Amino acid sequence: MPLEVKVADFKIGTTLNDMVNIESLSTPLPVPRAIFIDYPELIVAASGRSYGRGYPSCKWIFSLLTSEQRQQLKSFCPGSSSVVYIRTLTNDDTYANYQAIIHWPENEERDPSKRRDRLELTVTFTHLVKQT
């Protein structure tokens, strides 16, 4: 029985309708590691039960980006943050569409052997609002 190959479905755009798979952009991006956070704050009630509070968020972690790939991703976040639409992997191993605020990292680590390549570039998406 052959193994089922799952295709990555990470997308980004400035509107819900113009989202593009990141591997299909004019300068394709590699598939990132994704960390999805269901809620930013965990509240423990007097009963001892815990409750999540706040909007979901996620991080896309790119192991290595060339200068051109960085510029492609940066085009969606011209300042330090911007409103975007994304399709990302969630904790239940499904993809979902969200409106989000993308935050560009304050510091970018460069590969010393290739002056312009970025190592472990992490972009954070906050205030995720699910789109249907």
Side-chain angles (χ1 to χ4, degrees):
M1 177 179 218
L3 291 176
E4 180 182 335
V5 177
K6 293 189 179 188
V7 176
D9 198 22
F10 290 92
K11 294 181 180 181
I12 192 166
T14 55
T15 69
L16 183 62
N17 294 327
D18 80 354
M19 286 194 304
V20 176
N21 186 299
I22 64 171
E23 295 175 278
S24 300
L25 291 166
S26 57
T27 301
L29 298 177
V31 174
R33 290 191 330 260
I35 299 172
F36 192 88
I37 301 160
D38 289 311
Y39 39 81
E41 187 175 16
L42 186 65
I43 304 297
V44 179
S47 66
R49 294 186 62 189
S50 56
Y51 300 91
R53 184 166 69 178
Y55 289 102
S57 64
C58 72
K59 294 180 181 185
W60 287 359
I61 304 165
F62 297 93
S63 298
L64 178 68
L65 287 182
T66 65
S67 182
E68 293 79 17
Q69 289 171 323
R70 178 209 178 270
Q71 285 306 107
Q72 177 70 76
L73 185 58
K74 184 70 173 145
S75 71
F76 293 98
C77 185
S80 60
S81 67
S82 187
V83 175
V84 294
Y85 289 80
I86 61 169
R87 182 170 180 83
T88 193
L89 192 61
T90 63
N91 287 333
D92 62 1
D93 293 327
T94 61
Y95 288 89
N97 296 332
Y98 295 92
Q99 178 186 35
I101 299 173
I102 182 174
H103 299 270
W104 198 257
E106 286 185 45
N107 301 308
E108 299 177 45
E109 183 182 345
R110 286 185 169 81
D111 182 346
S113 65
K114 298 175 184 164
R115 295 179 52 199
R116 297 184 182 197
D117 287 356
R118 300 310 195 276
L119 296 172
E120 294 293 319
L121 183 77
T122 302
V123 291
T124 304
F125 301 93
T126 61
H127 296 80
L128 273 63
V129 177
K130 196 166 190 174
Q131 305 293 298
T132 53

